[in-house]
Amino acid sequence: MVQQLASYVAGDWIGPGSAARPIRSAISGKVIAEAGGGGVDFARMLDFGKSVGGPALRAMGFHDRAARLKALALYLNARREALYDLSYQTGATLGDHRFDIDGGIGTLFVFSSKGRREMPDGKVYLDGGLERFGKDGLFVGQHVAVPLHGVAVHINAYNFPLWGMLEKLAPTLLAGVPAIVKPATATSYVTELAVRMILESGILPAGALQFIAGGTGDLLDRLGGQDVVSFTGSAATGGHLRAKPNLLQNAVRFVAEQDSLNASILGPDIAPGSPAFDIFIKEAHREMTVKAGQKCTAIRRIIAPEAHVPAVIEALSARLAATTIGDPRDKATRMGALVSAEQKADVLARAAIIGQEAERVFGDPDEFTVTGDVSRDAFLPPLLYHCADPDAASAVHTTEAFGPVATVMPYRDLDHALALANRGEGSLVASVVTESGDVARQAVLNAGPSHGRLYFNNPASAPEATGHGAPMPHMIHGGPGRAGGGEELGGVRGVLHYMQRVAVQGSPDLITAIADRWVPGAAEVTGPAHPFTRHYDALAIGETIRTKAREITLDDIEHFASFTGDTFYAHMNEAAAAANPFFPGRVAHGYLLLAFAAGLFVQPDPGPVLANTGLDNLRFLQPVVPGDSLRVRLSVKQKTRRTDAYGEVRWHVTLYNQRDEAVAEYELLTMNAYA
Amino acid sequence: MVQQLASYVAGDWIGPGSAARPIRSAISGKVIAEAGGGGVDFARMLDFGKSVGGPALRAMGFHDRAARLKALALYLNARREALYDLSYQTGATLGDHRFDIDGGIGTLFVFSSKGRREMPDGKVYLDGGLERFGKDGLFVGQHVAVPLHGVAVHINAYNFPLWGMLEKLAPTLLAGVPAIVKPATATSYVTELAVRMILESGILPAGALQFIAGGTGDLLDRLGGQDVVSFTGSAATGGHLRAKPNLLQNAVRFVAEQDSLNASILGPDIAPGSPAFDIFIKEAHREMTVKAGQKCTAIRRIIAPEAHVPAVIEALSARLAATTIGDPRDKATRMGALVSAEQKADVLARAAIIGQEAERVFGDPDEFTVTGDVSRDAFLPPLLYHCADPDAASAVHTTEAFGPVATVMPYRDLDHALALANRGEGSLVASVVTESGDVARQAVLNAGPSHGRLYFNNPASAPEATGHGAPMPHMIHGGPGRAGGGEELGGVRGVLHYMQRVAVQGSPDLITAIADRWVPGAAEVTGPAHPFTRHYDALAIGETIRTKAREITLDDIEHFASFTGDTFYAHMNEAAAAANPFFPGRVAHGYLLLAFAAGLFVQPDPGPVLANTGLDNLRFLQPVVPGDSLRVRLSVKQKTRRTDAYGEVRWHVTLYNQRDEAVAEYELLTMNAYA
């Protein structure tokens, strides 16, 4: 049965048009689906996203949206066997599914968690700290980020039909922006199934997710300054798309993740036969064979000390020789098929270009074993090349054979190795296996500018290392130059691509109202009772008490010193303290001030305050000497719901002396029961 | 005398070529300079920047480069009279010089200060916190930023010949990237003088600054993925430049700051005659007249409640009528000339387009007074329009008359006002005069996505407010859509445009070596003596002591409670504490733990540790109950030089109980003498 893949447009599923394109299974070679061919109204799609999806998403806060990402992750996770089953048709093995399907779902989990932990329980994200422009703090600045009012168009590559969608969808939805997902047609049947699951779940509001099976028609020509294109694919296609006049004219954001000749360097400190050498070989083998090398982060260039090149070729060839190629549904299979016979032809054509500068030292496309009852048309064995003179070569640094193909090349010293890595003219990731901090630091300073990610591994890190080729949701994924100049993922950084950063300037009162975070100088709200007696829900931002004063005596200081054992000279020795550039003479301990301050504002009885969980940004501003007195201003700065039972209250605390000078300032964290 | 403006190329001054273009004074109309016309070898320029300027800048750290920015600011500040004198020829008044010349120098000061306070005393900038991937912390991630290995090409507009250069030069040089500055030819004689001063100062290394008087020839066609274009000018020119194939193909960063139809909104809460109303009128007047309205941030659209439009027109017209126009060298002059007669013709042509949708209610280009002995050719009076139906209009929202021209338009309610502001389709700044937090918050949520900056003012903030049109170095300057989609300034954010963000992953030891900042899990270095007895210069990153243990008794807790007054029930009442979700029973005060920890590691005698200045990121991880014992691990995390005499040491402090569980963790700050 040939599946008719449909687009999801403004709430309707629209089947393929008259010019639909057939899609073949990578393992049987038979047509299994059809997609595209017209019939999609892109203007309607855009309008629906902007007028229905955007407002619905923006009506929620970051934590609401984060909760939906988690719900989606759980929903898909419960249905992943169905996704696995279908995905075998793309040529992917069970091991490959862990990257595409489990990895995609894991990305939803991480963004959900980051959204709850690192973004506020509200609608305005605060970017960086407060800026002051005058000495009295009457006019201040705060950068914030708010969701764009447009639509995100995600154009994804064929190699990760699920992860490719979810790694963009997670930050987009968390930002509060509706998405239109257009996967590469070749594997779009997997994406379509996942989209159907997501829509069936009812977790997302209408308009948050629309889907294109087939081409994008005139969609990109309709985009404006509030829209975002996030593109993954070849540099040729990316360059063609980003040159569209309306994208340039409207400065439409274009996040691109393109070609990349990723390098892996065997550090000059690593000898063949060592555990680190083995790690190097294992990583190279994994990157050549996972997804049959169809990974934008796969290692294409293996850069080793001249003397160790034969050992690298020998060890890697031995591993490659032991790699079972065949039916991906068979558990013994280590490497499946390329996505199609066309892709195989493309890889072989590029391998031939590399072959003009490098000698093939492992693998033969004309002679290899494929296990199982499958068509051979899309299968290819790993091909390892050796380029003896990488300085004179150019194709090995610029030709990406998007399959199980890599080239080993020698280097003379670390500078040479890094220079070779940089010959890729911008890549997504470079790795270095080294145990030397100096090597790592040089790599960052000299190769960092050309690579979006630098991955270091050695026996100390190997037990938890995530792999050269695995983009983690916490870290940015993207690279300069040839790799497209974009960034995805990277936690909240990835969310900000779908938001506008706004430099907000105004009075402390207005900034407090905008940011839902009390700013010094804003109104101090007087509550009906001591704030420690009031539940989380009752507390207002800016609710403040000012305590009575307590004198600090020399006895207090001496007593604190003997009790705690902190007999630092600035507290104990008048002459030594006075000789210090910071103090007029003996001063009170900083922790004495904190403890006395707590004594001034803490309410002893059981109540809504459950615990003091921490303290941030403490600065001692003025010395406190015997005879000074201390009083405290305590204000509710920010509130963040944390569990079903309690939320975090961030208090702004300022300690003053008897001259009304601030002597210390900090933010105190407590957990407070809701009601 | 006609000045021959020269380009500065690879250490040589190259005069104008045979096809040089004449430059006329805005006030006399006479040719005062010639520039351009060929003769510049752009390949040599690029190569010199990359091979000489870049390495020299990268050999310094952020603080070294920040110090040079301050030295440059002082050097130019001592010579600003010469810059003032020459700048009058551009039509600018003394008041205008405060924005261009003083503002430019001020930007150097702010970036110098931000570089020293917010960037490390080293070569690798840390972006965000540590990411962990496994439970044991054997493999961690850290985003860093390192200088690009290319050249920054700055293409600047004619209206700010000095600020336009310095606002880009400050972040570029702080990043460690060499610059090629190309000002608009019309006022390039002012920029050339400043460049000569900077070069004469000897403050910058060779190759850090090169200069183009005239056109950019084939320079942009030569750029690659390590280069950056930072463009200020018209959307038409920007669109043309960013479409260059090699820029698209190599994903060359293109920071653009283009057209903008900036709006100012009189809040619905503000009545005519009030102090806030007066602030609104003053800001509108200033933005129309400063630099004769030739500011990318000037107010073009004045949006007021329908009922108050007549009052706005009346009050603003009265102020405009009192504005003396004439010789900028005359202190009584409030508004000088446009840059040229051509610019005047362009402004009039665009005003005529606006005039098709709006009625001119103040100013007559054919009848106005110009004081002083000047040519009238480039002078124009302020022109105020009134558009009665801004919903039906389009030119008033899309046509930027780059001179003293603005349009008043009515709104029905706040949503309507914000929708009108958004009709600009992306602007640099919108302002709202309001005293209402709700109005401000709605403005951020609904208009924020279309504006790079939102400026709120009212009588509370007015004494320190920096002005609708003044981009502050602390805040980002740029906007989406029509405004170009770029960002400049914004403190360290502006520096990062010239750096590559790299996601670094590796073992704690390697991350420590890369970042110059100790990461938990990295080696603990044992020094020759207690670290509090060792000077700043002697202390190694990672130098660690582990203290002996101290038992916490119930007596300690009770004593601390009575001494400090902190009798919170979790410390005092077994049953109430046990009923709390966080505690097993009575627990020690957090500040008791901090104080006892200090008692365990502080060295009493005078020595290199001068003061405890603060504490960051304290988190209490486990309750400590009577009978538990406490010990401390204290490690040197990071060092930052602060003055000639002492630097800041950031210590990583972990408190453990007798089961080796971490009970609290924080970063302690001390100031330590160098030697």
Side-chain angles (χ1 to χ4, degrees), chain A residues 249 251, chain B residues 157 231-239 242 256-262 295-298 300 346 350 397-402 424-429 450 477-486:
Chain A
Q249 193 184 325
Chain B
F231 168 79
T232 303
S234 73
T237 306
R242 68 167 90 202
E257 196 261 276
Q258 301 175 172
D259 296 0
S260 186
L261 278 295
N262 312 296
K295 265 167 57 193
C296 51
T297 52
R300 307 292 176 201
D346 185 77
R350 289 170 195 255
H397 304 299
T398 57
T399 303
E400 187 181 16
F402 205 70
E425 291 181 357
S427 85
L428 297 170
V429 52
S450 289
H477 172 53
R482 185 190 308 280

Side-chain angles (χ1 to χ4, degrees), chain B residues 67-405:
Chain B
R68 292 185 194 231
L69 292 185
K70 185 176 177 185
L72 273 185
L74 292 168
Y75 191 89
L76 291 174
N77 205 46
R79 286 155 186 80
R80 63 181 170 165
E81 291 295 336
L83 293 164
Y84 286 179
D85 286 348
L86 189 58
S87 283
Y88 288 122
Q89 298 300 325
T90 69
T93 64
L94 187 63
D96 296 338
H97 296 347
R98 294 201 205 292
F99 289 86
D100 184 37
I101 295 167
D102 300 8
I105 292 168
T107 300
L108 291 176
F109 277 120
V110 171
F111 272 92
S112 174
S113 164
K114 293 240 172 219
R116 277 176 289 120
R117 283 186 294 113
E118 300 177 17
M119 302 188 86
D121 184 13
K123 295 181 179 177
V124 175
Y125 177 75
L126 306 189
D127 175 79
L130 206 67
E131 299 284 349
R132 287 166 65 108
F133 302 104
K135 66 178 172 41
D136 295 329
L138 304 176
F139 181 76
V140 294
Q142 171 70 54
H143 291 91
V144 306
V146 288
L148 289 170
H149 282 196
V151 160
V153 176
H154 297 166
I155 301 177
N156 299 332
Y158 71 82
N159 53 341
F160 287 105
L162 193 65
W163 179 83
M165 171 167 71
L166 297 180
E167 64 112 3
K168 291 177 183 170
L169 205 50
T172 302
L173 294 175
L174 186 52
V177 172
I180 295 175
V181 174
K182 183 267 177 284
T185 305
T187 57
S188 58
Y189 49 93
V190 177
T191 316
E192 197 229 35
L193 175 60
V195 168
R196 287 187 184 272
M197 289 175 178
I198 291 171
L199 294 170
E200 279 162 18
S201 76
I203 292 166
L204 297 182
L209 173 61
Q210 297 180 87
F211 177 75
I212 301 171
T216 52
D218 62 357
L219 176 61
L220 267 58
D221 302 314
R222 296 175 172 277
L223 301 183
Q226 292 290 307
D227 302 314
V228 183
V229 178
S230 184
F231 168 79
T232 303
S234 73
T237 306
H240 170 72
L241 294 179
R242 68 167 90 202
K244 280 181 176 282
N246 76 302
L247 299 185
L248 294 174
Q249 194 183 325
N250 296 314
V252 177
R253 297 191 198 184
F254 194 95
V255 181
E257 196 261 276
Q258 301 175 172
D259 296 0
S260 186
L261 278 295
N262 312 296
S264 183
I265 298 172
L266 180 65
D269 54 317
I270 306 301
S274 65
F277 184 85
D278 199 40
I279 287 167
F280 181 77
I281 298 297
K282 274 187 192 160
E283 294 256 15
H285 174 260
R286 180 169 54 194
E287 295 305 320
M288 286 185 73
T289 56
V290 165
K291 295 286 298 182
Q294 299 168 107
K295 265 167 57 193
C296 51
T297 52
I299 294 171
R300 307 292 176 201
R301 297 181 296 149
I302 297 165
I303 304 178
E306 209 152 17
H308 301 334
V309 162
V312 166
I313 292 174
E314 184 186 357
L316 186 51
S317 296
R319 280 200 167 257
L320 292 171
T323 304
T324 311
I325 303 165
D327 188 339
R329 292 164 295 196
D330 183 343
K331 285 205 161 54
T333 297
R334 279 296 307 273
M335 188 169 108
L338 297 183
V339 73
S340 65
E342 292 75 18
Q343 185 59 26
K344 175 175 167 175
D346 185 77
V347 171
L348 285 173
R350 289 170 195 255
I353 295 170
I354 291 168
Q356 292 170 6
E357 293 177 346
E359 177 196 5
R360 198 172 73 219
V361 292
F362 180 86
D364 183 344
D366 298 321
E367 194 163 327
F368 63 102
T369 304
V370 177
T371 63
D373 179 22
V374 291
S375 156
R376 285 177 68 95
D377 292 356
F379 284 87
L380 192 66
L383 303 176
L384 188 66
Y385 288 83
H386 170 223
C387 175
D389 186 357
D391 292 324
S394 70
V396 297
H397 304 299
T398 57
T399 303
E400 187 181 16
F402 205 70
V405 181

Side-chain angles (χ1 to χ4, degrees), chain A residues 518 522-531 533-534 538-546 633-636 651:
Chain A
W518 186 79
E524 297 174 14
V525 178
T526 303
H530 188 291
T533 65
R534 285 161 54 69
L539 282 173
I541 301 293
E543 196 164 320
T544 297
I545 52 163
R546 288 173 175 265
R633 180 186 63 184
L634 177 79
S635 306
V636 176
W651 306 82

Side-chain angles (χ1 to χ4, degrees), chain A residues 213-423:
Chain A
T216 51
D218 62 356
L219 177 62
L220 267 58
D221 301 314
R222 297 177 172 277
L223 301 183
Q226 292 291 306
D227 302 313
V228 183
V229 179
S230 184
F231 168 80
T232 303
S234 73
T237 305
H240 169 71
L241 294 180
R242 69 166 89 203
K244 281 182 176 281
N246 75 303
L247 299 185
L248 294 173
Q249 193 184 325
N250 296 315
V252 177
R253 298 190 196 183
F254 194 96
V255 180
E257 196 262 274
Q258 302 174 170
D259 296 0
S260 185
L261 279 294
N262 312 295
S264 183
I265 299 171
L266 180 66
D269 55 318
I270 306 301
S274 65
F277 183 85
D278 198 40
I279 288 167
F280 180 77
I281 298 297
K282 275 187 191 158
E283 293 257 14
H285 173 260
R286 180 169 54 194
E287 295 305 319
M288 285 183 74
T289 56
V290 165
K291 297 284 298 182
Q294 299 168 109
K295 264 169 56 194
C296 52
T297 52
I299 294 170
R300 307 292 175 200
R301 297 180 296 149
I302 298 166
I303 304 178
E306 208 152 18
H308 302 335
V309 162
V312 165
I313 292 174
E314 185 185 358
L316 186 52
S317 297
R319 279 198 167 260
L320 292 171
T323 303
T324 311
I325 303 165
D327 188 339
R329 291 164 295 196
D330 183 343
K331 283 206 159 55
T333 297
R334 279 296 308 273
M335 189 169 108
L338 297 182
V339 73
S340 64
E342 293 75 19
Q343 186 58 25
K344 175 175 169 174
D346 185 77
V347 171
L348 285 173
R350 290 171 195 255
I353 295 171
I354 292 169
Q356 292 169 5
E357 292 177 347
E359 177 196 6
R360 198 172 72 219
V361 293
F362 180 86
D364 184 343
D366 299 320
E367 195 163 326
F368 63 102
T369 304
V370 177
T371 63
D373 178 22
V374 291
S375 156
R376 285 177 66 97
D377 292 356
F379 284 87
L380 192 66
L383 304 176
L384 188 66
Y385 287 83
H386 171 222
C387 175
D389 186 356
D391 292 324
S394 69
V396 297
H397 304 298
T398 58
T399 303
E400 186 181 17
F402 205 70
V405 182
T407 305
V408 180
M409 50 189 79
Y411 72 81
R412 293 183 295 277
D413 54 27
L414 181 61
D415 280 350
H416 186 218
L418 299 174
L420 288 175
N422 294 346
R423 288 282 304 276

Side-chain angles (χ1 to χ4, degrees), chain A residues 114 123-124 127-128 131 133-139 141-144 146-147 149 225-226 242-243 248 250-251 434-437 440-441 444-446 448-456 458 460-461 463-466 472 474-476 480-481 484-485 487 493 500-507 510 513-514 516 550 556 559-560 563-569 576 580-583 591-592 594-596 598-599 602-607 609-620 646 668-669 671, chain B residues 114 123-124 127-128 131 133-139 141-144 146-149 225-226 242-243 248 250-251 434 436-437 440-441 444-446 448-456 458 460-461 463-466 472 474-476 480-481 484-485 487 493 500-507 510 513-514 516 550 556 559-560 563-569 576 580-583 591-592 594-596 598-599 602-607 609-620 646 668-669 671:
Chain A
K114 292 241 172 218
K123 296 182 179 178
V124 174
D127 175 80
E131 299 285 349
F133 301 105
K135 65 179 172 41
D136 295 328
L138 304 177
F139 181 78
Q142 171 69 55
H143 290 90
V144 305
V146 287
H149 282 196
Q226 292 291 306
R242 69 166 89 203
L248 294 173
N250 296 315
T434 182
E435 296 182 293
S436 159
R441 187 171 166 84
V444 168
L445 288 170
N446 294 337
S450 290
H451 302 85
R453 183 160 60 94
L454 287 177
Y455 171 92
F456 297 95
N458 62 35
S461 51
E464 292 188 339
T466 49
M472 301 302 289
H474 323 62
M475 309 301 288
I476 57 161
E487 279 183 2
R493 293 172 192 85
Q500 175 66 35
R501 177 148 58 192
V502 190
V504 179
Q505 295 176 291
S507 70
L510 296 189
I514 290 163
D516 254 340
R550 173 174 183 168
D556 288 333
H559 180 77
F560 193 79
F563 177 52
T564 66
D566 179 352
T567 54
F568 189 60
Y569 68 94
N580 174 306
F582 289 87
F583 305 123
Y591 305 128
L592 172 65
L594 293 190
F596 278 17
V602 162
Q603 280 292 97
D605 299 330
V609 178
L610 301 174
N612 166 8
T613 53
L615 186 151
D616 284 328
N617 304 321
L618 167 63
R619 290 298 178 273
F620 297 112
Y646 51 82
L668 178 69
L669 300 174
M671 286 297 178
Chain B
K114 293 240 172 219
K123 295 181 179 177
V124 175
D127 175 79
E131 299 284 349
F133 302 104
K135 66 178 172 41
D136 295 329
L138 304 176
F139 181 76
Q142 171 70 54
H143 291 91
V144 306
V146 288
L148 289 170
H149 282 196
Q226 292 290 307
R242 68 167 90 202
L248 294 174
N250 296 314
T434 182
S436 159
R441 188 169 165 86
V444 168
L445 288 170
N446 294 337
S450 289
H451 302 85
R453 183 160 60 91
L454 286 177
Y455 171 92
F456 297 94
N458 62 34
S461 51
E464 291 187 342
T466 50
M472 302 301 290
H474 323 64
M475 308 302 287
I476 57 160
E487 278 184 3
R493 294 173 192 83
Q500 175 67 35
R501 176 148 58 192
V502 191
V504 179
Q505 294 176 291
S507 70
L510 296 189
I514 290 163
D516 254 341
R550 173 175 183 168
D556 288 334
H559 180 77
F560 193 78
F563 177 51
T564 65
D566 178 352
T567 54
F568 189 60
Y569 68 94
N580 175 306
F582 290 87
F583 305 122
Y591 304 128
L592 172 65
L594 292 189
F596 279 17
V602 162
Q603 281 292 97
D605 300 329
V609 178
L610 301 174
N612 166 8
T613 53
L615 185 150
D616 284 329
N617 304 323
L618 166 64
R619 290 297 178 275
F620 296 113
Y646 50 81
L668 178 70
L669 299 174
M671 285 297 178

